[in-house]
Structure formats: C-alpha cells, structure tokens
Amino acid sequence: MVRIIATLLAFAPIFAMANQQGCTGNTSMCPNSQDGVSSTYLQCNSWTQQYVTMSCPSGQVCYANPNSPGTVMCGLPNTGGQGKCTGNTAKCTAPGQTGAYLQCENWSGQYVSASCPAGLKCYNNDSNTGVYCN
Ligand SMILES: *[C@@H]1O[C@H](CO)[C@@H](O)[C@H](O)[C@H]1NC(C)=O
Ligand SMILES: *[C@@H]1O[C@H](CO)[C@@H](O)[C@H](O)[C@H]1NC(C)=O
Ligand SMILES: *[C@@H]1O[C@H](CO)[C@@H](O)[C@H](O)[C@H]1NC(C)=O
C-alpha cells in the first residue's frame, strides 16, 4: 500500500506537466491565449508533443489565425490579427463609428493601423476593398 501511494505521487507531477504543455500536430498558440501582446508564440513540435517558443519577425506580435483555427500568425501590433492582405486594400475597424481603419501595407502584406482626419468617420466602400472618410 505504501509503495502504491509513493508511485502515484511520483507520477502526478508528470501528468500535470503533460496537461499544461502537451500538444498534438502542427498547432500553435499565443502565450496565455492572448492576442496582440506577445512577440513570441508557442509552436507544437509534433514529435515531442511539447510546445516550443518561437519568435515573431521583428516588430510583430502573435494573433490567433482567424483563417486557420488552432494556429497563430504574427502581425503588426494593433492590426487586430486581421491577417495577410494584398495590394492597396483597406477596411474600417468600426465602420461608421470611429475613424480608425486598417490599411494594407503593400510591401509587408500586413495591415497597419491608420485613421481618418480628425472628426471624420470611416466607411467601407461599395466593393468592401477600400475605405472613405466622411
Ligand atoms: C505548420 O503550420 C504552419 C503555420 O500554420 C505552416 O506554415 C507550416 O507549413 C505547417 N507545417 C506542416 C509540416 O504542416
Ligand atoms: C505593390 O508592390 C508591388 C511590388 O513592389 C508594386 O509592383 C505595386 O505597384 C504595388 N502596389 C501598390 C498598390 O502600391
Ligand atoms: C474601393 O477602394 C479600393 C481601394 O482604394 C478601390 O480599388 C476600389 O475600386 C473601390 N471600390 C469602389 C466600388 O469604389
């Protein structure tokens, strides 16, 4: 009986650790599941089934990837994890409510924060690929 208890105690910390850090497949997550905060993310090593800390490109932070649940992406701070973009596209953060919008930065393929002139609000245009301020 004594030996069984000792065995259970010896294994308990290992189970606790597996619960906390174990992962499967090619999944990734932001530390503490927090969007837009961390310059690092946790990538599952599918062989060891443990998360490995990885760094976003310089100046970028971790976001849950809306296009691929269970994975994350890196993006510029304050872009809301809107993902990659192409060309001269833009979209309002809160259409008709504030002047804030996200402008695609052509060279990086990431949205960056932008704002209408003071006092104007942002509206998406008819094709939803650009914005105007009014
Ligand atoms: C793992 O996921 C990342 C990001 O989601 C992707 O870029 C990569 O190609 C994937 N690797 C494999 C082996 O599926
Ligand atoms: C985006 O960049 C490409 C390559 O540098 C360039 O050919 C293209 O004209 C740019 N588009 C816009 C809208 O600036
Ligand atoms: C919306 O804005 C984009 C980017 O400025 C522009 O290319 C597109 O033609 C506009 N669409 C309409 C319907 O005005």
Side-chain angles (χ1 to χ4, degrees):
M1 189 58 178
V2 168
R3 188 187 300 155
I4 290 170
I5 290 171
T7 306
L8 287 176
L9 287 176
F11 275 102
I14 293 171
F15 288 129
M17 223 167 78
N19 278 341
Q20 211 169 47
Q21 300 184 348
C23 60
T24 53
N26 187 23
T27 54
S28 48
M29 63 178 288
C30 297
N32 304 316
S33 299
Q34 270 190 299
D35 260 6
V37 177
S38 176
S39 63
T40 62
Y41 62 97
L42 301 171
Q43 171 67 51
C44 189
N45 177 326
S46 55
W47 188 67
T48 61
Q49 304 203 336
Q50 298 287 312
Y51 283 112
V52 180
T53 301
M54 306 282 285
S55 290
C56 286
S58 177
Q60 298 189 7
V61 292
C62 180
Y63 293 100
N65 186 342
N67 303 315
S68 178
T71 69
V72 298
M73 49 181 233
C74 296
L76 291 169
N78 303 315
T79 55
Q82 300 295 310
K84 295 190 185 308
C85 58
T86 53
N88 181 29
T89 54
K91 57 181 165 187
C92 300
T93 306
Q97 291 174 38
T98 70
Y101 64 96
L102 299 169
Q103 172 67 54
C104 188
E105 189 177 57
N106 190 17
W107 60 268
S108 68
Q110 299 275 348
Y111 283 110
V112 296
S113 295
S115 187
C116 290
L120 300 184
K121 294 188 175 16
C122 177
Y123 299 89
N124 291 315
N125 75 3
D126 288 344
S127 57
N128 263 327
T129 54
V131 302
Y132 61 94
C133 298
N134 195 2

